[in-house]
Amino acid sequence: MRIPLSWLREYAPVPADATAEDVMATLVKVGLEEEGVHRPTDELTGPIVVGQVLSMEPETHSNGKTVNWCQVRVVPEGQTQTLTGKGIEESGVQGIICGAHNFAPGDKVVVTLPGAVLPGGFAITARKTYGHKSAGMIASVRELGIGDDHDGILVLSTLGLDPELGSDAMELLGLYDQAAEVNVTPDRGYALSIRGIAREYCHATGETFDDFVLDLAAKAPAANASGLPVTLTDSAPIHGKDGCTRFVTRQVTGVNAAAPVPTWMSSRLRLAGVRSISLPVDISNYVMLETGQPLHFYDADKLDGGITVRRAQAGEKLTTLDEKVRELHSEDLLITDSTGPIGLAGVMGGASTEVGTETTNILIEAARFDEVSIARTSRRHKLSSDASKRFERGVDPELQAAAAQRAVDLLVELASATVEEGVTDTGSTAEPTVIDLPANYTAGRIGIDYTEAQITESLEQIGAQVERTETGYRVTAPSWRPDLTDKEHLTEEIARLVGYDLIPSTLPVAPPGQGLSTEQLLRRRALNALAASGLTEVSAYPFVSEDDNNLWASPVAGETVKSIRLANPIASQQGWMRRSLLPGLTEVLKRNLSRGFKNLAIYETGHVFIPGAQHGSSQIPGLGVRPSDEVLADLNAGIPDQPRHIAGLFCGLVHEETPGAVPHSLDWRDALDSATLVADVIGVKLEVVKGEHQAFHPGRTAALTLADGTVIGYAGELHPKLLAELDMPERTAAFELNFSALLNGRGGPTIATGISGYPATNQDVALIVDADVPAKAVAAALAEGAGDLLEDVRVFDDYRGAGIDEGKKSLAFALRFRATDRTLTADEASAARSSGVAVAADRFGAVQR
């Protein structure tokens, strides 16, 4: 809401020297948020004066353009110029070149003299152009920054002005005024008006607000039989509320619609962010901004019969004032006459009854429409207007007659209108909201022991009626505050008006305990380890497609996995809750690749969503009462399992190539290392076995299992066909772990063993086994057979070729032996090795090479 200060001063005691910043600082005290300052003088400086064209000589030049060489008097005749500056003539007559042709000698115009600066930093100087020394400029509306018209210069008589020569044109046009802009939250629609802002300003300063609307309401005549017949009907009320609850009409005749708009009105509208159009339209907007009541003016001669307010019927259409033909919905509330729809109620009028310059008789409408109905219509037609913005926030139901009276007064004063006798006021106003406020409730909620006087005075300031009761206060909310419905709202108003700065600040006390839980500590440790190893943490949306879940959450191709479907997805192609983190990570990777990043190692942790046997619950408990244990159990049973996963994605090089350091490509080994790193830092032994997954490369995939064989994840390169479909780099690698299952797989604390002070004995052994026997299984057999003397076993070669039978392979192992109480002999080490080989031979048919 933009608030011109000159307008606000009419209804609130704003000091004459107060700036827009001062007004905003005052309004902030009562909870309004400052937005900005609108001040013409920030871009426009004088000298800018009223001048009169003495003569104009057309001259056509070689470029084909015709300009006027003008002599313009800028001081009263017989007086000398008191302004000084380079290019300002002492005689008071300026020679000026002007390219416009919409004026004549004798016209009074706005002259920007040398030294003036126009919006956009355009400085006015005396300069030679078209063979003359032009000292100044005759200004257009757009050049002054007060409108968009640039068809010609501003002739002051078109505004109904005949000022003295040399007078300050900036003051004449209201350009010294300024506006403060504040943000108005949806629950405080009354503040979308000068009336509401003036009330809030008085609250902030402790002054008494004199509501001018009460005087207008007292002046407004009662409804009579001469008024236009109006029928309110609603065949399909939304949430049981009629679309229109009150409809007031007034009529004026003999209107001079072409009369000029006073500069005080047009300048205030401009500062308030509203374009000046014509006198009747400007009066309608002026009253809306002043009182908060949207109005609509009809050309009374274009109306056919009385008015009916009703819902739209199937197939009806309406051409609105923006010249668009709109197909109407059965929920749309319409203003109609005997010809059909003539307006979209509360949003925009129809073109068929539009007021134009030829209009002489006007019907004024001031109505009260339902908030939800107007909001739905506005959004349905993608048509947001100043009127709909106010109606959908709630308009004072007792304001209509007063606002119509204000419009009548302005039309009579400015447009020479005559007031007709007929007045319509149909419908009814709702009963006021009555709220019981317990005596100690406010203190308990805010933490301040407010006195009875503070409570009563605060509520009376906002216009409420307060009655003391045995238990507290009975408060009748004012008609312009539909947001006040319960004791919490009243408490907020008391805290706001007494002062937010008085609310004590207390730091919360940390609950007793030992800080982070074990799960939180381990999760943090794992994430820090991944970050320390060079990966970057990202966060992706948890919404995926059904195909993504079927691909990533199941290792078997063609299998359909159960997933949670969203009732209101952001996008139709992402209507399911994820069962894997990798779909989101691939989107993040692709987005970064598209922006030129080639070397990427990213990871994410988050929940996945696995539906159980029960999906949701039909037993939705009511409010205000604790649900029974059975209802709570049913609700919990309908919640999907949400284990936490950790996943990573890798492509490109491990680092950029530099002199002396040739990087390797990120591949399956990096993915596997990251997965095992997560397990290592939380103390879980992760088993790595050959795996198969439809999204991973068939020969470069590891299944990650716990000691009991439970598969909790996969690591490896992604399938080449999938990478081609997703337009991702070849050899992109990934891992994903069920982190919750990994935590559950933790055993007891790890006990460190002593370090032997005796030397180790190293021996190698090569065994020929079937090609499909895992090297890890052979290593386990060697360890089992070698016994406690074997400290470590590691495979370092896998050979298949000449000298090895087809279907066989040679695995070479490095064995390290050590005793804790003596130095081992070579024979002892060899015997242990032989024992290990014997177990491998027995179990896998291994033959020593």
Side-chain angles (χ1 to χ4, degrees), residues 700-732:
R700 299 170 186 158
T701 303
L704 309 173
T705 72
L706 297 175
D708 62 2
T710 303
V711 177
I712 63 169
Y714 292 88
E717 290 184 10
L718 296 181
H719 201 293
K721 288 185 178 179
L722 176 62
L723 293 175
E725 291 175 5
L726 296 176
D727 194 23
M728 291 170 62
E730 297 180 1
R731 309 299 294 272
T732 298

mmCIF file of all heavy atoms in Angstrom, residues 700-732:
data_model
loop_
_atom_site.group_PDB
_atom_site.id
_atom_site.type_symbol
_atom_site.label_atom_id
_atom_site.label_comp_id
_atom_site.label_asym_id
_atom_site.label_seq_id
_atom_site.Cartn_x
_atom_site.Cartn_y
_atom_site.Cartn_z
ATOM 1 N N ARG A 700 30.328 -54.451 -13.504
ATOM 2 C CA ARG A 700 31.066 -53.534 -12.632
ATOM 3 C C ARG A 700 30.157 -53.041 -11.508
ATOM 4 O O ARG A 700 30.026 -51.849 -11.269
ATOM 5 C CB ARG A 700 31.609 -52.351 -13.430
ATOM 6 C CG ARG A 700 32.587 -52.765 -14.532
ATOM 7 C CD ARG A 700 32.923 -51.624 -15.451
ATOM 8 N NE ARG A 700 33.742 -52.083 -16.573
ATOM 9 C CZ ARG A 700 33.848 -51.463 -17.737
ATOM 10 N NH1 ARG A 700 33.174 -50.334 -17.937
ATOM 11 N NH2 ARG A 700 34.602 -51.945 -18.703
ATOM 12 N N THR A 701 29.515 -54.001 -10.873
ATOM 13 C CA THR A 701 28.567 -53.670 -9.804
ATOM 14 C C THR A 701 28.849 -54.528 -8.585
ATOM 15 O O THR A 701 29.035 -55.737 -8.701
ATOM 16 C CB THR A 701 27.116 -53.896 -10.258
ATOM 17 O OG1 THR A 701 26.856 -53.121 -11.416
ATOM 18 C CG2 THR A 701 26.137 -53.509 -9.162
ATOM 19 N N ALA A 702 28.896 -53.903 -7.428
ATOM 20 C CA ALA A 702 29.073 -54.605 -6.162
ATOM 21 C C ALA A 702 27.811 -54.469 -5.337
ATOM 22 O O ALA A 702 27.225 -53.380 -5.245
ATOM 23 C CB ALA A 702 30.259 -54.039 -5.397
ATOM 24 N N ALA A 703 27.402 -55.603 -4.742
ATOM 25 C CA ALA A 703 26.326 -55.569 -3.755
ATOM 26 C C ALA A 703 26.966 -55.402 -2.390
ATOM 27 O O ALA A 703 27.965 -56.063 -2.066
ATOM 28 C CB ALA A 703 25.501 -56.845 -3.820
ATOM 29 N N LEU A 704 26.432 -54.517 -1.578
ATOM 30 C CA LEU A 704 26.991 -54.203 -0.262
ATOM 31 C C LEU A 704 26.097 -54.847 0.787
ATOM 32 O O LEU A 704 24.902 -54.562 0.848
ATOM 33 C CB LEU A 704 27.067 -52.693 -0.074
ATOM 34 C CG LEU A 704 27.764 -51.938 -1.232
ATOM 35 C CD1 LEU A 704 27.634 -50.434 -1.040
ATOM 36 C CD2 LEU A 704 29.222 -52.339 -1.344
ATOM 37 N N THR A 705 26.683 -55.721 1.586
ATOM 38 C CA THR A 705 25.881 -56.494 2.536
ATOM 39 C C THR A 705 26.441 -56.357 3.943
ATOM 40 O O THR A 705 27.608 -56.012 4.148
ATOM 41 C CB THR A 705 25.856 -57.979 2.153
ATOM 42 O OG1 THR A 705 27.145 -58.561 2.425
ATOM 43 C CG2 THR A 705 25.535 -58.164 0.674
ATOM 44 N N LEU A 706 25.572 -56.647 4.907
ATOM 45 C CA LEU A 706 26.007 -56.771 6.289
ATOM 46 C C LEU A 706 26.581 -58.175 6.498
ATOM 47 O O LEU A 706 26.553 -59.018 5.592
ATOM 48 C CB LEU A 706 24.827 -56.522 7.226
ATOM 49 C CG LEU A 706 24.197 -55.123 7.161
ATOM 50 C CD1 LEU A 706 22.964 -55.056 8.049
ATOM 51 C CD2 LEU A 706 25.208 -54.050 7.564
ATOM 52 N N ALA A 707 27.082 -58.433 7.700
ATOM 53 C CA ALA A 707 27.706 -59.716 7.987
ATOM 54 C C ALA A 707 26.738 -60.876 7.817
ATOM 55 O O ALA A 707 27.143 -61.991 7.468
ATOM 56 C CB ALA A 707 28.287 -59.707 9.396
ATOM 57 N N ASP A 708 25.438 -60.629 8.030
ATOM 58 C CA ASP A 708 24.457 -61.717 7.905
ATOM 59 C C ASP A 708 23.973 -61.917 6.476
ATOM 60 O O ASP A 708 23.065 -62.702 6.223
ATOM 61 C CB ASP A 708 23.262 -61.461 8.822
ATOM 62 C CG ASP A 708 22.514 -60.171 8.468
ATOM 63 O OD1 ASP A 708 22.901 -59.489 7.492
ATOM 64 O OD2 ASP A 708 21.542 -59.827 9.182
ATOM 65 N N GLY A 709 24.562 -61.179 5.522
ATOM 66 C CA GLY A 709 24.200 -61.332 4.125
ATOM 67 C C GLY A 709 23.100 -60.415 3.640
ATOM 68 O O GLY A 709 22.739 -60.460 2.459
ATOM 69 N N THR A 710 22.541 -59.571 4.506
ATOM 70 C CA THR A 710 21.477 -58.645 4.100
ATOM 71 C C THR A 710 22.038 -57.577 3.171
ATOM 72 O O THR A 710 22.981 -56.858 3.531
ATOM 73 C CB THR A 710 20.844 -57.965 5.321
ATOM 74 O OG1 THR A 710 20.342 -58.967 6.202
ATOM 75 C CG2 THR A 710 19.713 -57.040 4.890
ATOM 76 N N VAL A 711 21.480 -57.460 1.967
ATOM 77 C CA VAL A 711 21.931 -56.443 1.010
ATOM 78 C C VAL A 711 21.357 -55.091 1.419
ATOM 79 O O VAL A 711 20.132 -54.937 1.537
ATOM 80 C CB VAL A 711 21.483 -56.802 -0.421
ATOM 81 C CG1 VAL A 711 21.895 -55.703 -1.395
ATOM 82 C CG2 VAL A 711 22.069 -58.136 -0.844
ATOM 83 N N ILE A 712 22.229 -54.111 1.655
ATOM 84 C CA ILE A 712 21.775 -52.782 2.057
ATOM 85 C C ILE A 712 22.178 -51.698 1.060
ATOM 86 O O ILE A 712 22.005 -50.506 1.318
ATOM 87 C CB ILE A 712 22.306 -52.414 3.456
ATOM 88 C CG1 ILE A 712 23.829 -52.340 3.448
ATOM 89 C CG2 ILE A 712 21.803 -53.388 4.505
ATOM 90 C CD1 ILE A 712 24.397 -51.722 4.701
ATOM 91 N N GLY A 713 22.713 -52.094 -0.097
ATOM 92 C CA GLY A 713 23.064 -51.097 -1.081
ATOM 93 C C GLY A 713 23.862 -51.662 -2.227
ATOM 94 O O GLY A 713 24.195 -52.858 -2.256
ATOM 95 N N TYR A 714 24.181 -50.767 -3.187
ATOM 96 C CA TYR A 714 24.948 -51.134 -4.368
ATOM 97 C C TYR A 714 25.954 -50.034 -4.665
ATOM 98 O O TYR A 714 25.741 -48.858 -4.330
ATOM 99 C CB TYR A 714 24.024 -51.335 -5.575
ATOM 100 C CG TYR A 714 23.113 -52.537 -5.448
ATOM 101 C CD1 TYR A 714 21.873 -52.427 -4.823
ATOM 102 C CD2 TYR A 714 23.500 -53.775 -5.946
ATOM 103 C CE1 TYR A 714 21.029 -53.520 -4.699
ATOM 104 C CE2 TYR A 714 22.665 -54.878 -5.826
ATOM 105 C CZ TYR A 714 21.441 -54.749 -5.206
ATOM 106 O OH TYR A 714 20.624 -55.834 -5.075
ATOM 107 N N ALA A 715 27.045 -50.432 -5.323
ATOM 108 C CA ALA A 715 28.044 -49.473 -5.769
ATOM 109 C C ALA A 715 28.628 -49.969 -7.076
ATOM 110 O O ALA A 715 28.781 -51.180 -7.274
ATOM 111 C CB ALA A 715 29.145 -49.297 -4.733
ATOM 112 N N GLY A 716 28.940 -49.042 -7.989
ATOM 113 C CA GLY A 716 29.533 -49.423 -9.259
ATOM 114 C C GLY A 716 29.249 -48.401 -10.328
ATOM 115 O O GLY A 716 28.826 -47.278 -10.045
ATOM 116 N N GLU A 717 29.494 -48.795 -11.574
ATOM 117 C CA GLU A 717 29.204 -47.915 -12.697
ATOM 118 C C GLU A 717 27.759 -48.107 -13.139
ATOM 119 O O GLU A 717 27.217 -49.215 -13.063
ATOM 120 C CB GLU A 717 30.149 -48.209 -13.862
ATOM 121 C CG GLU A 717 31.588 -47.793 -13.587
ATOM 122 C CD GLU A 717 32.475 -48.013 -14.794
ATOM 123 O OE1 GLU A 717 31.934 -48.299 -15.884
ATOM 124 O OE2 GLU A 717 33.711 -47.913 -14.637
ATOM 125 N N LEU A 718 27.164 -47.032 -13.638
ATOM 126 C CA LEU A 718 25.794 -47.123 -14.124
ATOM 127 C C LEU A 718 25.767 -47.772 -15.501
ATOM 128 O O LEU A 718 26.755 -47.767 -16.237
ATOM 129 C CB LEU A 718 25.161 -45.734 -14.172
ATOM 130 C CG LEU A 718 24.994 -45.041 -12.818
ATOM 131 C CD1 LEU A 718 24.327 -43.686 -12.994
ATOM 132 C CD2 LEU A 718 24.205 -45.900 -11.843
ATOM 133 N N HIS A 719 24.626 -48.322 -15.849
ATOM 134 C CA HIS A 719 24.479 -49.062 -17.096
ATOM 135 C C HIS A 719 24.695 -48.132 -18.298
ATOM 136 O O HIS A 719 24.128 -47.036 -18.355
ATOM 137 C CB HIS A 719 23.089 -49.686 -17.162
ATOM 138 C CG HIS A 719 22.988 -50.828 -18.108
ATOM 139 N ND1 HIS A 719 23.100 -50.686 -19.473
ATOM 140 C CD2 HIS A 719 22.794 -52.166 -17.891
ATOM 141 C CE1 HIS A 719 22.978 -51.853 -20.061
ATOM 142 N NE2 HIS A 719 22.783 -52.787 -19.117
ATOM 143 N N PRO A 720 25.501 -48.564 -19.277
ATOM 144 C CA PRO A 720 25.768 -47.685 -20.436
ATOM 145 C C PRO A 720 24.500 -47.262 -21.171
ATOM 146 O O PRO A 720 24.393 -46.116 -21.608
ATOM 147 C CB PRO A 720 26.665 -48.563 -21.329
ATOM 148 C CG PRO A 720 27.307 -49.531 -20.398
ATOM 149 C CD PRO A 720 26.295 -49.797 -19.319
ATOM 150 N N LYS A 721 23.513 -48.167 -21.311
ATOM 151 C CA LYS A 721 22.284 -47.790 -22.004
ATOM 152 C C LYS A 721 21.525 -46.715 -21.229
ATOM 153 O O LYS A 721 20.963 -45.782 -21.804
ATOM 154 C CB LYS A 721 21.396 -49.021 -22.199
ATOM 155 C CG LYS A 721 21.913 -50.003 -23.234
ATOM 156 C CD LYS A 721 20.911 -51.134 -23.451
ATOM 157 C CE LYS A 721 21.389 -52.099 -24.520
ATOM 158 N NZ LYS A 721 20.426 -53.215 -24.730
ATOM 159 N N LEU A 722 21.519 -46.844 -19.903
ATOM 160 C CA LEU A 722 20.835 -45.851 -19.080
ATOM 161 C C LEU A 722 21.528 -44.498 -19.191
ATOM 162 O O LEU A 722 20.862 -43.455 -19.287
ATOM 163 C CB LEU A 722 20.808 -46.315 -17.619
ATOM 164 C CG LEU A 722 20.215 -45.337 -16.604
ATOM 165 C CD1 LEU A 722 18.748 -45.071 -16.931
ATOM 166 C CD2 LEU A 722 20.356 -45.887 -15.193
ATOM 167 N N LEU A 723 22.862 -44.502 -19.188
ATOM 168 C CA LEU A 723 23.608 -43.241 -19.304
ATOM 169 C C LEU A 723 23.319 -42.572 -20.636
ATOM 170 O O LEU A 723 23.198 -41.343 -20.704
ATOM 171 C CB LEU A 723 25.103 -43.503 -19.147
ATOM 172 C CG LEU A 723 25.561 -43.972 -17.761
ATOM 173 C CD1 LEU A 723 27.045 -44.304 -17.770
ATOM 174 C CD2 LEU A 723 25.264 -42.908 -16.709
ATOM 175 N N ALA A 724 23.192 -43.376 -21.700
ATOM 176 C CA ALA A 724 22.876 -42.803 -23.003
ATOM 177 C C ALA A 724 21.468 -42.205 -23.007
ATOM 178 O O ALA A 724 21.241 -41.123 -23.561
ATOM 179 C CB ALA A 724 23.005 -43.879 -24.082
ATOM 180 N N GLU A 725 20.511 -42.883 -22.380
ATOM 181 C CA GLU A 725 19.147 -42.367 -22.315
ATOM 182 C C GLU A 725 19.073 -41.066 -21.523
ATOM 183 O O GLU A 725 18.323 -40.149 -21.873
ATOM 184 C CB GLU A 725 18.223 -43.408 -21.675
ATOM 185 C CG GLU A 725 17.988 -44.643 -22.530
ATOM 186 C CD GLU A 725 17.166 -45.691 -21.792
ATOM 187 O OE1 GLU A 725 16.727 -45.381 -20.653
ATOM 188 O OE2 GLU A 725 16.961 -46.781 -22.335
ATOM 189 N N LEU A 726 19.856 -40.983 -20.434
ATOM 190 C CA LEU A 726 19.828 -39.799 -19.573
ATOM 191 C C LEU A 726 20.760 -38.702 -20.053
ATOM 192 O O LEU A 726 20.832 -37.634 -19.430
ATOM 193 C CB LEU A 726 20.200 -40.195 -18.139
ATOM 194 C CG LEU A 726 19.242 -41.157 -17.430
ATOM 195 C CD1 LEU A 726 19.793 -41.533 -16.057
ATOM 196 C CD2 LEU A 726 17.859 -40.549 -17.295
ATOM 197 N N ASP A 727 21.489 -38.969 -21.155
ATOM 198 C CA ASP A 727 22.452 -37.996 -21.691
ATOM 199 C C ASP A 727 23.483 -37.617 -20.625
ATOM 200 O O ASP A 727 23.757 -36.446 -20.387
ATOM 201 C CB ASP A 727 21.731 -36.749 -22.204
ATOM 202 C CG ASP A 727 22.636 -35.869 -23.067
ATOM 203 O OD1 ASP A 727 23.609 -36.401 -23.616
ATOM 204 O OD2 ASP A 727 22.369 -34.652 -23.164
ATOM 205 N N MET A 728 24.045 -38.643 -19.994
ATOM 206 C CA MET A 728 25.065 -38.449 -18.961
ATOM 207 C C MET A 728 26.380 -39.034 -19.448
ATOM 208 O O MET A 728 26.419 -39.875 -20.350
ATOM 209 C CB MET A 728 24.619 -39.122 -17.653
ATOM 210 C CG MET A 728 23.440 -38.422 -16.985
ATOM 211 S SD MET A 728 22.746 -39.374 -15.612
ATOM 212 C CE MET A 728 24.148 -39.451 -14.498
ATOM 213 N N PRO A 729 27.514 -38.614 -18.873
ATOM 214 C CA PRO A 729 28.828 -39.075 -19.342
ATOM 215 C C PRO A 729 28.995 -40.586 -19.183
ATOM 216 O O PRO A 729 28.449 -41.205 -18.254
ATOM 217 C CB PRO A 729 29.807 -38.320 -18.435
ATOM 218 C CG PRO A 729 29.046 -37.168 -17.904
ATOM 219 C CD PRO A 729 27.632 -37.611 -17.798
ATOM 220 N N GLU A 730 29.772 -41.186 -20.086
ATOM 221 C CA GLU A 730 30.126 -42.597 -19.944
ATOM 222 C C GLU A 730 30.937 -42.808 -18.672
ATOM 223 O O GLU A 730 31.642 -41.919 -18.218
ATOM 224 C CB GLU A 730 30.940 -43.059 -21.162
ATOM 225 C CG GLU A 730 30.177 -42.993 -22.481
ATOM 226 C CD GLU A 730 31.037 -43.460 -23.649
ATOM 227 O OE1 GLU A 730 32.204 -43.836 -23.416
ATOM 228 O OE2 GLU A 730 30.536 -43.432 -24.793
ATOM 229 N N ARG A 731 30.846 -43.968 -18.127
ATOM 230 C CA ARG A 731 31.575 -44.390 -16.933
ATOM 231 C C ARG A 731 31.156 -43.605 -15.687
ATOM 232 O O ARG A 731 31.924 -43.485 -14.734
ATOM 233 C CB ARG A 731 33.102 -44.270 -17.126
ATOM 234 C CG ARG A 731 33.658 -44.920 -18.396
ATOM 235 C CD ARG A 731 33.398 -46.412 -18.438
ATOM 236 N NE ARG A 731 34.109 -47.134 -17.414
ATOM 237 C CZ ARG A 731 35.348 -47.624 -17.535
ATOM 238 N NH1 ARG A 731 36.002 -47.445 -18.671
ATOM 239 N NH2 ARG A 731 35.920 -48.287 -16.552
ATOM 240 N N THR A 732 29.938 -43.057 -15.686
ATOM 241 C CA THR A 732 29.430 -42.428 -14.466
ATOM 242 C C THR A 732 29.192 -43.510 -13.416
ATOM 243 O O THR A 732 28.611 -44.553 -13.705
ATOM 244 C CB THR A 732 28.117 -41.672 -14.739
ATOM 245 O OG1 THR A 732 28.371 -40.630 -15.679
ATOM 246 C CG2 THR A 732 27.550 -41.058 -13.468
#
